[in-house]
Amino acid sequence: LQTIEQNNTTLKALRLRAEADKTGNHTGINMANPEVEFGYLWGDKDADGNRHDLSVSQSFDFPTAYRYKRQLAGQLERQVDLVYEQQKREIMFEARNLLVELAYRQMNKEILNNRVDQARLLFDSYQLLLDKGETDIIEYNKTRLNLVNIEKTFQLNEVEINTLTKELERLNGGDPFNEVKPVYSSYQIPIDFDEWFALAKEVNPSINLAAQQIEASRKQLQLTRSLNLPKFSAGYTNTFEGGSNYNGFTVGVSIPLWESKNTVKAQKARTIALQSEHQDNTLQFYNTLSGQYEKAKKLDAVLNEYKKTLEFSNDYDLLRKAFEKGKMSLITYLQELAIYYDTVDLYMETERDYQLAIAQLERWAN
């Protein structure tokens, strides 16, 4: 997981985008550019020369607007960090799930490999018996079909391992892993869900982002009010006409009558909407994690039952000994063996599902 976090090309691109967005958030927060205007006017033939006009002016918003613009830029910068953290956690969660699946497939490979060996030994034994005329073709075909089925299951499992490995390499920036054998996480189910959820909520970037958007919206509301106040302009003017030179200052003010109508009202509505979305996100997050928590607890209980059952009796050894002593027929042996294999498979699948549920909780552990 650490390697993927370092090498993932999507995360590298997102980090660059975040830096660009941060820079962009600090643009447009300063005063407007000053304006310089020059005019040259030709006079009548009887007039005393031509006229030259030069003016330099600077317009600016109400002073508090610039303070709110800087504060809003800081709020937006924190939002950029939270968006990046949100996207990073999604990618790492995908990697975590793939590792759980790969661990399951690799452990399954060892079990299936042993089953193939046992099925091949049985098939070879019946091949010898058939050659000696001590069994019939029907019994022989049963062992052959048994071997083929187990081999196909093994091959399909290999396909899944290769697919999962390629997916992990994709998340690792295309670089292969060297001799990596994933193991299941040792993360334990939290004892008190509500206490754990309070901590998980603090590190959830989606929840924090929603809260940050509310703060930014409030700051935008303050800025909107400031922008609705009168705007000012000041400048210097020089006029040369008829041999006379005139110098002076100009001041101006804009009267906020129509241009910004309803902007404050609209911003208040956006803030209220964001508050509602934040409450909904928190509720959805709580319900999702509560469901995964209960699922993990139930799967843990089922898993423990499977462990006790499989530890109490090794059905495979008992079945093999009974078959070798002639206490059951081949068809009965294969049927009983299939039941035992199904139990082991269900145990393995339950363990995988448990780990996938745990992954949902562990992603918010820090």
Side-chain angles (χ1 to χ4, degrees):
L1 288 173
Q2 292 175 348
T3 304
I4 289 173
E5 184 175 349
Q6 294 171 359
N7 296 339
N8 185 269
T9 53
T10 302
L11 287 179
K12 289 179 181 179
L14 290 173
R15 282 192 288 267
L16 294 174
R17 171 62 68 86
E19 291 302 319
D21 289 344
K22 285 183 179 180
T23 303
N25 289 334
H26 287 274
T27 59
I29 63 175
N30 300 312
M31 289 189 295
N33 293 324
E35 295 182 5
V36 179
E37 185 177 347
F38 176 76
Y40 183 85
L41 291 79
W42 290 272
D44 295 332
K45 293 182 179 180
D46 298 332
D48 296 332
N50 300 318
R51 175 179 169 175
H52 302 255
D53 289 334
L54 174 67
S55 65
V56 180
S57 64
Q58 173 69 59
S59 61
F60 48 91
D61 296 313
F62 201 81
T64 55
Y66 299 105
R67 181 180 66 188
Y68 293 137
K69 283 182 178 181
R70 288 191 295 270
Q71 292 175 350
L72 181 59
Q75 295 280 355
L76 294 176
E77 189 167 301
R78 286 188 282 275
Q79 286 187 31
V80 170
D81 290 332
L82 288 170
V83 169
Y84 171 77
E85 180 67 20
Q86 181 183 32
Q87 293 168 324
K88 185 184 80 171
R89 283 183 179 267
E90 289 297 326
I91 291 173
M92 299 310 296
F93 178 60
E94 180 185 1
R96 192 183 296 275
N97 282 339
L98 288 172
L99 287 167
V100 170
E101 291 285 353
L102 184 57
Y104 162 72
R105 291 292 175 179
Q106 288 187 336
M107 287 187 285
N108 207 30
K109 178 181 178 178
E110 296 180 8
I111 293 174
L112 290 173
N113 190 52
N114 183 61
R115 291 180 186 177
V116 169
D117 290 341
Q118 297 300 325
R120 185 172 287 113
L121 285 174
L122 183 64
F123 171 73
D124 290 342
S125 298
Y126 270 77
Q127 178 73 62
L128 292 174
L129 292 174
L130 182 65
D131 293 341
K132 294 178 181 179
E134 297 178 5
T135 189
D136 57 39
I137 191 66
I138 295 177
E139 296 288 290
Y140 168 78
N141 283 337
K142 289 175 185 176
T143 63
R144 183 172 177 273
L145 288 173
N146 180 60
L147 175 61
V148 169
N149 290 335
I150 295 177
E151 284 181 333
K152 293 303 178 186
T153 303
F154 178 86
Q155 292 167 5
L156 290 174
N157 191 71
E158 283 289 285
V159 171
E160 290 298 324
I161 289 176
N162 292 334
T163 301
L164 291 167
T165 302
K166 290 297 181 183
E167 283 295 297
L168 284 167
E169 288 179 2
R170 174 182 63 81
L171 292 179
N172 195 41
D175 295 337
F177 292 98
N178 297 321
E179 300 298 329
V180 173
K181 186 177 180 181
V183 294
Y184 284 144
S185 171
S186 58
Y187 184 76
Q188 299 295 316
I189 301 176
I191 298 175
D192 188 308
F193 174 76
D194 288 330
E195 181 179 335
W196 174 84
F197 177 78
L199 299 175
K201 185 172 64 173
E202 292 180 1
V203 300
N204 185 334
S206 297
I207 301 297
N208 293 332
L209 178 61
Q212 193 67 44
Q213 287 173 335
I214 294 173
E215 293 302 315
S217 182
R218 288 171 178 164
K219 195 61 62 179
Q220 181 66 54
L221 179 61
Q222 293 176 312
L223 175 60
T224 301
R225 285 172 174 158
S226 294
L227 293 176
N228 282 346
L229 295 173
K231 295 179 175 59
F232 304 96
S233 64
Y236 162 78
T237 298
N238 171 267
T239 299
F240 180 81
E241 182 178 11
S244 299
N245 192 31
Y246 303 91
N247 294 282
F249 293 97
T250 61
V251 293
V253 60
S254 67
I255 302 174
L257 292 179
W258 305 291
E259 182 181 2
S260 301
K261 185 179 180 181
N262 292 328
T263 54
V264 173
K265 183 178 180 181
Q267 190 57 44
K268 284 182 178 179
R270 279 193 286 270
T271 303
I272 294 173
L274 287 171
Q275 290 173 334
S276 179
E277 290 176 7
H278 178 252
Q279 293 173 354
D280 179 64
N281 287 341
T282 304
L283 177 62
Q284 296 299 329
F285 183 54
Y286 180 89
N287 289 336
T288 299
L289 283 192
S290 178
Q292 291 297 325
Y293 178 78
E294 292 300 324
K295 180 180 178 180
K297 288 183 65 176
K298 291 177 181 177
L299 287 172
D300 185 43
V302 174
L303 199 58
N304 288 328
E305 288 298 321
Y306 271 124
K307 286 180 181 178
K308 291 177 182 178
T309 301
L310 292 172
E311 288 173 359
F312 178 74
S313 62
N314 190 334
D315 287 348
Y316 176 75
D317 289 339
L318 294 174
L319 289 171
R320 182 174 54 83
K321 290 177 181 177
F323 174 67
E324 289 175 351
K325 293 180 179 179
K327 294 183 178 181
M328 63 174 61
S329 65
L330 175 63
I331 187 62
T332 302
Y333 171 68
L334 293 177
Q335 288 174 344
E336 293 295 329
L337 196 60
I339 294 173
Y340 173 71
Y341 285 168
D342 286 343
T343 304
V344 174
D345 292 342
L346 286 172
Y347 165 77
M348 296 287 292
E349 291 171 7
T350 302
E351 187 177 29
R352 177 200 58 190
D353 293 343
Y354 168 76
Q355 288 295 331
L356 289 173
I358 283 293
Q360 281 275 14
L361 303 178
E362 191 174 6
R363 68 186 293 198
W364 308 115
N366 49 51

